[in-house]
Amino acid sequence: MSTARDTATISDDALGDEEWAREVRRWATRRDAIILAHNYQRPEIQDVADAVGDSLALSRRAAASDAAVIVFAGVAFMAETAKILAPDRTVLLPEPRAGCSLADSITADQLRAWKARHPGAVVVAYVNTSVEVKAESDLCCTSANAVEIVNSVPASREILFLPDQFLGAHVQRLTGRDNIHVWMGECHVHAEITPQDLRERVAQLPAAELFIHPECGCTTTALWMAGRGDLPPGRTRVLSTGGMLEAARTTTASHVLVATETGMLHQLRRANSATRFEPVNPAAQCPYMQMITPAVLLRSLREGTHEVNVDPEVARRARRSVEAMIAVGAPSRGE
Ligand code: SF4
C-alpha cells in the first residue's frame, strides 16, 4: 500500500516542468524560504533557485539573507556551513543522504590523532569537511584562497593540510613550503577525470581552451596536472566559479573543454551560446548532488524536510575557522 509520502512523490514526479517550477516558487513564498543551488545540481534545480554558486558563495548568501528558511540544494557539509553562519535560521537539506566522499575521507577522531603526532602544527581544512572536523581546525579554506591562507601562517609553523591530496600538492608547489603535511583524501568524482581523459580530449580538440575548475570544494586531478605542466600552456586556465563564468562570457574559442563535475556546464552554456562547452569526462557526475531531484526539492519545501542542526558548541568552534576563510578572498574574486 502506498504511503502519503509515496503518493506525494509520485504526484510530484508527474508534474510538468513549468507546473513543478510554479509549485516550488509558490511554496518558497509560503515558507519565506530562499533556495540555494550548488553549481553541480541538476539544471532544473539551478533554474528554479534564488542563487546558484559554489559552497562558499552560497554560504555567504545564506548569511546575508533574511529569509526564515534556507533550502540548500547541495550536500551535507554545505548545509552545515550555512547553519554555522546562519544559526538562527531553519536550514533544510532536501536529501539527508547527500554526502561527500571527500568530506568523508577524514573524521574528527582521525584529525585529533594526526594533531597529536604534530603538536603545535596549524590545521588548514578545505571547506569540504564535516562540521566536527572544522571545529578541530584552525583555518578553513577554499581552493581559491588556499595559497593565501597557507601564506598567512608563519613560515616556521608546521601545517596539517586536509583532506584533498591534489589541492595539498598544488599548495605545496605554489608556496614552496616543505613543512606542509597533506592528508591523502580525494573526491571520487574528480579522481575519475584522469590524465588520460585530459590528454585524449585535448588531442581530439587541439584548438580548444581548457577550463579547470579548482572549486566546488573539489581540487582535482586536472588541477594537479596543470600544476605539473602536463597540459598545454596558454590554453589551460585554472579558474574559480566566477572566473570560469567570466571567461565563458568573453572567450572567442569555438570549443572549451571543462574539467570538473558536469553540472557546471549548465551555467557556462547559459553564459555563452556561441562557444561549445564540453566535459573532459562526461561521466564526472556527483551521485550525491544528483540525489536532489525536482520531487525531492518540492517535498522539502512542502514538508520542511530535512532540517539541519549543529551542536552549538561544535558550531561555535567551527565558526572561527569558517570566518577566517570568508575573510580571505573577497566575493569579487568570483568564488
Ligand atoms: S563532487 Fe566530489 S567533492 Fe563535490 S560534493 Fe560530490 S563527492 Fe563531494
Side-chain angles (χ1 to χ4, degrees):
M1 183 186 292
S2 295
T3 64
R5 172 163 291 192
D6 291 336
T7 305
T9 303
I10 290 165
S11 62
D12 290 347
D13 281 335
L15 290 175
D17 292 349
E18 288 183 13
E19 197 181 352
W20 167 79
R22 269 199 305 276
E23 274 295 281
V24 167
R25 295 313 318 173
R26 187 172 72 82
W27 278 97
T29 302
R30 185 166 166 178
R31 297 289 190 217
D32 186 20
I34 184 172
I35 302 169
L36 306 180
H38 191 268
N39 288 316
Y40 296 178
Q41 288 287 294
R42 296 163 185 263
E44 59 269 45
I45 303 283
Q46 296 188 32
D47 289 345
V48 84
D50 295 285
V52 181
D54 67 23
S55 57
L56 176 59
L58 295 178
S59 293
R60 285 179 169 136
R61 183 68 189 265
S65 167
D66 56 6
V69 178
I70 296 164
V71 182
F72 211 119
V75 298
F77 80 82
M78 299 174 184
E80 285 177 352
T81 307
K83 184 67 180 178
I84 290 168
L85 294 171
D88 56 334
R89 248 59 67 66
T90 298
V91 176
L92 301 180
L93 178 64
E95 172 50 72
R97 294 173 302 160
C100 169
S101 58
L102 180 54
D104 287 347
S105 64
I106 186 166
T107 66
D109 280 345
Q110 288 174 313
L111 176 51
R112 279 189 283 269
W114 201 25
K115 286 165 67 173
R117 295 197 296 275
H118 297 274
V122 176
V123 178
V124 179
Y126 199 25
V127 67
N128 286 42
T129 43
S130 69
V131 65
E132 290 82 9
V133 167
K134 287 184 176 76
E136 290 291 333
S137 303
D138 298 298
L139 299 163
C140 208
C141 73
T142 69
S143 49
N145 67 11
V147 170
E148 284 173 271
I149 291 276
V150 166
N151 278 337
S152 74
V153 178
S156 59
R157 299 284 299 276
E158 262 190 322
I159 291 176
L160 303 183
F161 190 95
L162 62 99
D164 191 295
Q165 59 181 295
F166 298 112
L167 180 58
H170 181 66
V171 168
Q172 276 178 324
R173 279 193 298 275
L174 290 189
T175 62
R177 290 177 74 134
D178 58 7
N179 59 352
I180 303 178
H181 305 276
V182 177
W183 191 260
M184 296 302 284
E186 67 178 22
C187 153
H188 75 292
V189 179
H190 283 82
E192 287 173 7
I193 304 174
T194 64
Q196 188 177 347
D197 291 332
L198 279 167
R199 290 192 189 98
E200 284 177 6
R201 296 292 278 144
V202 168
Q204 288 165 357
L205 291 169
E209 286 186 11
L210 180 59
F211 287 3
I212 300 172
H213 188 258
E215 286 205 1
C216 153
C218 322
T219 301
T220 66
T221 301
L223 182 61
W224 176 72
M225 286 178 64
R228 283 168 49 99
D230 285 352
L231 295 169
R235 296 201 313 274
T236 302
R237 306 172 72 181
V238 179
L239 299 164
S240 65
T241 299
M244 192 176 280
L245 282 170
E246 198 175 313
R249 290 187 194 102
T250 57
T251 184
T252 55
S254 62
H255 288 79
V256 174
L257 291 170
V258 182
T260 190
E261 210 273 0
T262 58
M264 187 67 208
L265 293 165
H266 184 59
Q267 291 299 318
L268 300 178
R269 289 169 177 160
R270 285 181 58 162
N272 179 351
S273 58
T275 293
R276 289 191 61 174
F277 296 92
E278 297 189 13
V280 168
N281 181 347
Q285 279 196 333
C286 177
Y288 303 112
M289 293 284 181
Q290 295 291 311
M291 287 178 176
I292 314 289
T293 64
V296 163
L297 176 62
L298 180 52
R299 181 194 301 157
S300 176
L301 280 158
R302 195 172 49 215
E303 300 180 11
T305 50
H306 295 267
E307 184 167 356
V308 173
N309 285 304
V310 176
D311 178 272
E313 175 54 20
V314 175
R316 184 189 66 74
R317 292 168 53 216
R319 194 174 300 120
R320 291 171 314 170
S321 58
V322 172
E323 286 177 346
M325 169 182 76
I326 288 175
V328 179
S332 61
R333 293 185 55 194
E335 293 170 350

